[in-house]
């Protein structure tokens, strides 16, 4: 490999989500591709994304993509279903680096799993976009899909109030509604939701749920490899987390979710 390619491949990959949720993708990615330099942006100033308009979500995505452009990234991972659903189609050709949206990247693998009925739990904005249905149907026309919005679940995760009766009840109500559809699998279509898996599994089985994060990181790894874009460094040196507000909140809640050695620097961009 030429030196210039080598240097280009060692540029960082930027991840983003509205908060800690995307760490479910980020932490899996770090385990799979240890050589990659990575950055993470938690847009806490605009959390939750799930109740924002399309125009707002496009604006947030552009702001973060412009920030990552300044950081000279080789790729950006949209570790957020809501942004993938509402902003990706509009911004995808505006940048000269690779952009990986979670929904569109995972749809083919999920749609071809030999199942007939699939449920999707997601934010209001993701469900309103119907992008899960659109993308899954591209690969499996006959698939029956039911999307149900869960407007309180991001707050349950970000506030860490898993044990509250109101949280448990909210989860139970949505699950009961979904079970009437008799899905063979349910996609956790928001990166925050895998953290509720134990609560969901209390009413059914863990095997019923698909966390797209695993499929997503494998897709990105294979694509980077196919494009000859994998970093060749032995050890990653650069790893920062940026937040647009509330760094203390992010640190506290990410401790529960971030399962790699220690949390990197958390930098508040609004200081
Ligand atoms: N975790 C994000 C998603 O995957 C957004 C959640 C939110 O901020 O509402 O959709």
């Amino acid at each position: 490999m030429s030196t210039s390619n080598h240097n280009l491949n060692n540029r960082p990959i930027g991840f983003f989500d509205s908060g800690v949720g995307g760490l479910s993708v980020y932490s899996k990615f770090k385990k799979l591709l240890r050589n990659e330099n990575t950055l993470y942006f938690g847009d806490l100033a605009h959390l939750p994304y799930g109740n924002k308009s399309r125009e707002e979500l496009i604006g947030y995505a552009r702001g973060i993509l412009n920030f990552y452009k300044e950081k000279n990234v080789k790729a950006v991972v949209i570790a957020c279903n809501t942004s993938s659903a509402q902003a990706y189609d509009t911004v995808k050709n505006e940048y000269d680096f690779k952009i990986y949206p979670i929904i569109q990247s995972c749809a083919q693998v999920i749609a071809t799993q030999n199942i007939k009925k699939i449920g999707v739990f997601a934010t209001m904005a993701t469900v309103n976009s119907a992008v899960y249905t659109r993308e899954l149907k591209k690969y499996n026309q006959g698939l029956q899909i039911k999307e149900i919005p869960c407007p309180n679940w991001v707050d349950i995760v970000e506030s860490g109030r898993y044990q509250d009766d109101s949280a448990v009840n909210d989860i139970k109500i949505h699950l009961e509604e979904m079970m009437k559809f008799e899905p063979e699998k349910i996609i956790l279509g928001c990166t925050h939701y895998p953290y509720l898996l134990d609560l969901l599994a209390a009413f059914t089985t863990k095997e019923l749920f698909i966390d797209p994060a695993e499929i997503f990181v494998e897709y990105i790894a294979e694509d980077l490899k196919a494009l000859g874009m994998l970093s060749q460094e032995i050890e990653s040196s650069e790893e920062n987390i940026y937040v647009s507000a509330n760094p203390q909140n992010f640190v506290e809640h990410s401790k529960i979710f971030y399962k790699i050695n220690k949390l990197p620097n958390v930098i508040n961009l609004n200081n």
Side-chain angles (χ1 to χ4, degrees):
M1 182 181 295
S2 74
T3 310
S4 61
N5 250 352
H6 178 85
N7 289 339
L8 285 174
N9 287 346
N10 288 341
R11 289 177 300 161
I13 299 176
F15 290 68
F16 79 86
D17 184 36
S18 57
V20 295
L23 292 178
S24 61
V25 174
Y26 187 75
S27 57
K28 285 189 173 62
F29 183 87
K30 295 295 287 178
K31 280 189 189 124
L32 189 65
L33 294 178
R34 292 173 196 272
N35 291 346
E36 297 298 325
N37 288 314
T38 50
L39 306 170
Y40 185 93
F41 191 112
D43 194 8
L44 273 79
H46 302 121
L47 178 93
Y49 274 9
N51 62 10
K52 300 299 188 304
S53 71
R54 184 174 165 72
E55 288 65 35
E56 285 172 310
L57 290 162
I58 291 169
Y60 305 153
R62 281 199 180 116
I64 297 166
L65 289 163
N66 289 340
F67 171 79
Y68 276 142
K69 188 177 171 183
E70 294 294 310
K71 295 280 171 203
N72 195 25
V73 295
K74 66 176 175 186
V76 168
V77 175
I78 308 186
C80 174
N81 292 264
T82 308
S83 188
S84 299
Q86 293 280 356
Y88 172 69
D89 283 346
T90 305
V91 301
K92 64 183 175 189
N93 296 322
E94 295 177 1
Y95 298 87
D96 58 6
F97 44 77
K98 190 89 198 188
I99 302 176
Y100 294 103
I102 185 164
I103 301 174
Q104 293 85 339
S105 305
C106 299
Q108 182 166 9
V109 173
I110 298 174
T112 52
Q113 284 184 350
N114 201 22
I115 44 180
K116 294 190 180 67
K117 280 183 156 192
I118 195 157
V120 182
F121 283 139
T123 66
M124 192 60 85
T126 299
V127 171
N128 284 345
S129 77
V131 166
Y132 257 109
T133 298
R134 182 191 81 192
E135 291 297 313
L136 291 168
K137 291 237 180 215
K138 262 190 205 169
Y139 306 101
N140 185 348
Q141 275 289 336
L143 193 61
Q144 290 179 58
I145 304 157
K146 184 167 181 68
E147 299 194 41
I148 293 183
C150 309
N152 301 320
W153 290 13
V154 168
D155 180 59
I156 293 170
V157 173
E158 289 283 339
S159 64
R161 52 182 188 90
Y162 304 96
Q163 310 305 332
D164 289 12
D165 287 350
S166 63
V168 175
N169 203 36
D170 192 290
I171 286 161
K172 189 165 171 261
I173 288 168
H174 286 86
L175 188 58
E176 278 172 0
E177 191 191 341
M178 181 63 89
M179 294 314 273
K180 287 181 202 153
F181 172 65
E182 299 181 343
E184 290 155 82
K185 290 281 179 190
I186 301 171
I187 300 171
L188 298 174
C190 168
T191 49
H192 285 73
Y193 298 176
Y195 301 119
L196 301 172
L197 192 54
D198 285 341
L199 284 183
L200 286 160
F203 304 106
T204 175
T205 61
K206 271 193 181 162
E207 288 66 41
L208 184 62
F209 300 97
I210 298 174
D211 173 3
E214 201 76 56
I215 298 165
F216 190 29
V217 297
E218 275 168 23
Y219 174 90
I220 300 164
E222 272 170 34
D223 196 63
L224 289 173
K225 193 174 168 199
L227 295 170
M229 283 174 64
L230 286 174
S231 168
Q232 302 302 314
E233 293 290 300
I234 303 301
E235 274 300 320
S236 161
S237 52
E238 191 177 351
E239 188 181 10
N240 277 330
I241 288 180
Y242 302 94
V243 291
S244 51
N246 298 330
Q248 207 44 49
N249 260 25
F250 187 92
V251 171
E252 274 163 30
H253 297 128
S254 60
K255 273 184 202 149
I256 309 169
F257 309 126
Y258 193 80
K259 303 258 162 58
I260 306 166
N261 301 331
K262 65 178 178 59
L263 194 68
N265 278 341
V266 176
I267 299 162
N268 185 4
L269 295 170
N270 273 350
N271 257 351

